[in-house]
Amino acid sequence: MSVLEKMSSAAAIALEDKHGAHNYHPLPVVLSKGEGVYVWDVEGRRYYDFLSAYSAVNQGHCHPKIVGAMIQQAQTLTLTSRAFYNDKLGVYEEFVTNYFGFDKVLPMNTGAEAVETALKLCRKWAYEKKGIHENEAQIIVCDGNFHGRTTTIISFSNDENARKNFGPYTAGFIKIPYDDVEALEAALNSSNNIAGFLVEPIQGEAGVYTPAEDYLTKAKALCAAHNVLFIADEVQTGIARTGSILAVCGNCTCENKCEKQASYVAPDILILGKALSGGAYPVSAVLANDAIMNVIKPGQHGSTFGGNPIAGAVAIAALEVVDEENLSQNARRLGNIFREKLNEFIQTSTIATLVRGKGLLNAVVINDTEESDTAWNICMALRDNGLLAKPTHGNIIRFAPPLVMNEEQLLDCVSIIITTLKQFEK
Ligand SMILES: *Cc1c(COP(=O)(O)O)cnc(C)c1O
C-alpha cells in the first residue's frame, strides 16, 4: 500500500507492529489530524487530546502562528550547522534569554539532550569554578525521577524497565527521596564533592507528584548555602503547563514572566523542551547565567541540529502564543475547575481515590493495584467516549490537555471523564 493512500486503523497498527521497534505500547487509536484541543483518527472520529504529547502541544495542535513561522523559515533556510552563523539564531537567543531572565542559552533538540547538556555543564562548572577534583563530582537526583532515555540518564532512574540490561551505568549520582528537604540537607552535608541538584518541580512521569508548597524554595536555599547548582528540569512542567510560565515561578501570576517575585525560585540551570516549540518541532534549551555557561568553550559540546533556523523561528512563535493567548492564566483557572469538579466526584467514588496536580497538569489515582489493568481499561473507555489519555505507572491516569482549551470544552471533558469512571464503579 502506498503511504499516501488512506489507511484503516487496523492496517496502520499492523504496519507499525511489523516494521517498527516495539519500544512503546500505544493506546490503539491512529491519529491523522489535529487542530487546537482536538485530534481525529483515520476513520474520522474526533477526540479531545488529554495528553498533549506529554505536554509538548500546550499551544494546541497545528497552531497557525507556529506552523506559519515554521513554513516560512523552512522555505528560506533550514540548517547551516553551527560551523557558520545564521541570521535567526542570535535573534532567538536574545528572545529566549530575555523571556526567561538568563544571560545565555545553549540550544539543543530533545529534552534528554538538554538534560545531558545540563549535567555536563554542571560537572564542568564544578571542576573549573567550585574546585572539585576531576572525576569526583556528584550530582544529587530524586527517587522516581524522569529525565529522559540516554545511557547516563537511565543510570540514575529507578524504573527497572528503563534500566535493566542497559548497564554498565554512569557513576556520579546520589539518589534521595523526592519532596524531602532533610534528605537533601543530609546528602549535601555528606560530601564536599556535590556539584548539583537535579529536580523536577513536579514529577510528571512518576504520576504528577506535587511537592510541598515550600519544597523548592528550601531546596534552592540549601543548594545556595552549599555552593551547589540548583538544576530545574522543566521539560514537562514549563511553558505555562502548571499555571505560570515555569513551575519554579510558584504562585507568581505576572504576565511579564521574570518579574522575579517572591515566589520565584531561581534555578542556576533551567532545562526546557517539549512545548518550547508547541510540539511542532524538536526544540530544547539549557539556560544559565554567564558565571556558569561560560565554562563551555568552542568544541566542548554541540549538536548538528541544535540552534537551527527553523527551531529558532518556531520557538519564538510558540512563546509569543503563550503570552498572546494568556495560556498561563488559562491553565491556572481551568486547572482549579478541573480539580474542584473531580474532587466533588471523588467524595462518593469507589473507583477514583485522588486527584492531584497544578494548572493543567493533573492525575487521577485509580483504586486498584499498580499491576492491574483497570487504568488502561478506563483509558480505552475514555477513547470510546471521545477523550484520549494514558496511564502512567499502572493505576494513575494523567490529564494534560492543550492549554488553549476553553471552559465549555473543559466542562464537556470533565463530564466525559466522570461518566466513564462511573462505568467502572463496583
Ligand atoms: C519528556 C521529558 C524529558 C525528555 O524529553 P525527550 O524530548 O523525550 O528526550 C526530560 N525531562 C522531563 C521532565 C520530561 O518530562
Side-chain angles (χ1 to χ4, degrees):
M1 185 191 277
S2 149
V3 289
L4 295 176
E5 268 173 58
K6 210 161 184 318
M7 196 186 290
S8 73
S9 289
I13 289 170
L15 210 52
E16 280 198 30
D17 191 59
K18 176 148 190 238
H19 300 287
H22 293 179
N23 58 327
Y24 278 89
H25 179 38
L27 206 76
V29 58
V30 180
L31 304 173
S32 61
K33 190 178 116 171
E35 189 185 317
V37 299
Y38 300 113
V39 285
W40 286 261
D41 70 14
V42 289
E43 278 84 21
R45 283 178 292 253
R46 192 184 79 173
Y47 306 87
Y48 285 107
D49 179 0
F50 255 68
L51 184 66
S52 306
Y54 302 100
S55 295
V57 192
N58 289 2
Q59 297 87 335
H61 287 276
C62 297
H63 194 291
K65 173 164 175 159
I66 300 171
V67 172
M70 183 160 75
I71 290 171
Q72 194 180 28
Q73 190 57 46
Q75 289 172 332
T76 311
L77 181 67
T78 60
L79 183 64
T80 59
S81 84
R82 298 287 303 277
F84 312 114
Y85 291 89
N86 71 67
D87 65 353
K88 283 291 169 310
L89 179 56
V91 176
Y92 163 62
E93 288 172 334
E94 180 183 37
F95 182 91
V96 77
T97 51
N98 285 340
Y99 196 99
F100 293 103
F102 289 87
D103 293 339
K104 294 270 196 301
V105 61
L106 200 161
M108 298 296 282
N109 313 285
T110 67
E113 281 178 318
V115 173
E116 285 279 347
T117 301
L119 296 173
K120 288 174 72 178
L121 179 59
C122 178
R123 283 179 168 185
K124 206 157 195 307
W125 170 87
Y127 300 128
E128 295 176 11
K129 298 286 177 185
K130 183 164 176 171
I132 294 177
H133 289 298
E134 203 181 342
N135 293 326
E136 288 181 7
Q138 300 281 330
I139 293 175
I140 301 171
V141 298
C142 292
D143 286 334
N145 70 72
F146 182 84
H147 297 288
R149 299 297 199 162
T150 65
T151 314
T152 289
I153 292 170
I154 59 101
S155 293
F156 54 80
S157 165
N158 30 18
D159 177 350
E160 264 317 286
N161 211 20
R163 274 172 60 87
K164 193 167 162 46
N165 288 340
F166 293 119
Y169 303 118
T170 306
F173 298 95
I174 298 173
K175 224 180 298 165
I176 61 168
Y178 186 63
D179 193 17
D180 187 335
V181 175
E182 281 78 45
L184 176 60
E185 188 163 23
L188 288 166
N189 286 328
S190 71
S191 155
N192 291 323
N193 294 332
I194 311 288
F197 173 49
L198 172 64
V199 66
E200 299 159 85
I202 292 173
Q203 287 191 328
E205 293 309 304
V208 190
Y209 285 100
T210 47
E213 195 76 18
D214 59 357
Y215 174 60
L216 297 175
T217 312
K218 287 183 169 166
K220 160 72 196 201
L222 282 171
C223 287
H226 287 81
N227 193 24
V228 160
L229 301 185
F230 180 82
I231 308 169
D233 180 349
E234 293 241 23
V235 171
Q236 186 159 160
T237 52
I239 325 294
R241 172 54 59 187
T242 66
S244 36
I245 187 64
L246 298 172
V248 291
C249 291
N251 292 320
C252 174
T253 52
C254 77
E255 295 179 37
N256 273 341
K257 288 92 38 201
C258 300
E259 298 253 311
K260 307 252 164 100
Q261 295 185 2
S263 66
Y264 178 73
V265 180
D268 297 300
I269 302 178
L270 172 65
I271 307 167
L272 297 173
K274 293 194 170 121
L276 184 54
S277 74
Y281 198 76
V283 184
S284 66
V286 175
L287 291 129
N289 285 337
D290 284 336
I292 297 164
M293 194 66 94
N294 285 349
V295 303
I296 301 267
K297 302 285 192 305
Q300 295 174 349
H301 189 61
S303 157
T304 301
F305 281 85
N308 72 77
I310 296 180
V314 164
I316 290 174
L319 291 171
E320 283 177 349
V321 166
V322 170
D323 289 347
E324 288 161 7
E325 303 189 15
N326 297 316
L327 296 188
S328 294
Q329 293 84 339
N330 199 48
R332 181 175 291 240
R333 196 173 67 81
L334 295 192
N336 287 335
I337 297 172
F338 182 83
R339 285 184 300 279
E340 188 191 314
K341 297 281 178 199
L342 274 142
N343 268 320
E344 252 170 54
F345 165 69
I346 284 168
Q347 301 288 311
T348 57
S349 172
T350 56
I351 188 69
T353 58
L354 180 71
V355 58
R356 63 171 171 243
K358 203 165 178 209
L360 282 175
L361 182 59
N362 293 290
V364 169
V365 179
I366 299 304
N367 186 16
D368 208 333
T369 60
E370 269 211 42
E371 296 69 39
S372 74
D373 49 13
T374 310
W376 175 269
N377 292 335
I378 291 170
C379 289
M380 293 291 279
L382 284 169
R383 177 200 68 175
D384 296 340
N385 294 334
L387 187 148
L388 298 180
K390 190 101 197 284
T392 171
H393 287 262
N395 62 333
I396 302 169
I397 304 175
R398 171 173 33 201
F399 290 105
L403 311 182
V404 292
M405 183 162 273
N406 64 38
E407 186 171 340
E408 189 189 340
Q409 292 166 333
L410 181 87
L411 292 175
D412 191 22
C413 293
V414 165
S415 143
I416 294 173
I417 291 166
I418 290 177
T419 307
T420 307
L421 286 170
K422 278 184 180 161
Q423 296 170 10
F424 288 81
E425 298 279 2
K426 286 164 191 118

